[in-house]
Amino acid sequence: MAVAELCLFPLGTESPSVGRYLEPVIEVIEKSGLKYMVCPMGTVVEGSVDEILELVKKCHEAILKAGAKRVVISLKIDDRVDKPLSIEGKLGV
């Protein structure tokens, strides 16, 4: 199990407000079945590395389909094999 932080930045939009471009991305994340937490500056997801990378691909497609002319994606993945990882564990909960 891995924990990842995903941030998508739509560029080439008509307004500095980006909510309409990110709403479809959140829908993709919700439908993925992966455990997730939306944070102020990104979204944290929990799953296998393959599941996370597939999710990133679907999020990329969703933000472009929403009308963004360009997208910058920031992805950090923490994958450990010596002990289990979880979102709660990373938060110290």
Side-chain angles (χ1 to χ4, degrees):
M1 189 70 61
V3 175
E5 179 184 58
L6 172 63
C7 301
L8 286 91
F9 305 94
L11 302 176
T13 62
E14 298 172 3
S15 164
S17 180
V18 296
R20 78 176 198 127
Y21 301 97
L22 296 176
E23 286 174 7
V25 171
I26 298 301
E27 288 177 18
V28 166
I29 294 169
E30 288 173 348
K31 290 178 183 175
S32 74
L34 297 179
K35 187 174 189 177
Y36 72 96
M37 178 184 296
V38 176
C39 302
M41 299 298 290
T43 300
V44 178
V45 295
E46 188 179 291
S48 72
V49 172
D50 286 340
E51 290 171 323
I52 291 167
L53 293 175
E54 182 63 28
L55 177 63
V56 172
K57 178 181 175 186
K58 290 178 180 177
C59 290
H60 175 254
E61 293 167 353
I63 202 166
L64 292 175
K65 188 175 180 181
K69 303 292 184 228
R70 181 178 179 186
V71 61
V72 174
I73 299 172
S74 173
L75 175 64
K76 290 191 274 185
I77 299 176
D78 186 355
D79 185 23
R80 289 186 73 159
V81 296
D82 62 329
K83 71 178 200 174
L85 282 176
S86 68
I87 294 172
E88 293 83 7
K90 298 288 282 178
L91 292 171
V93 177

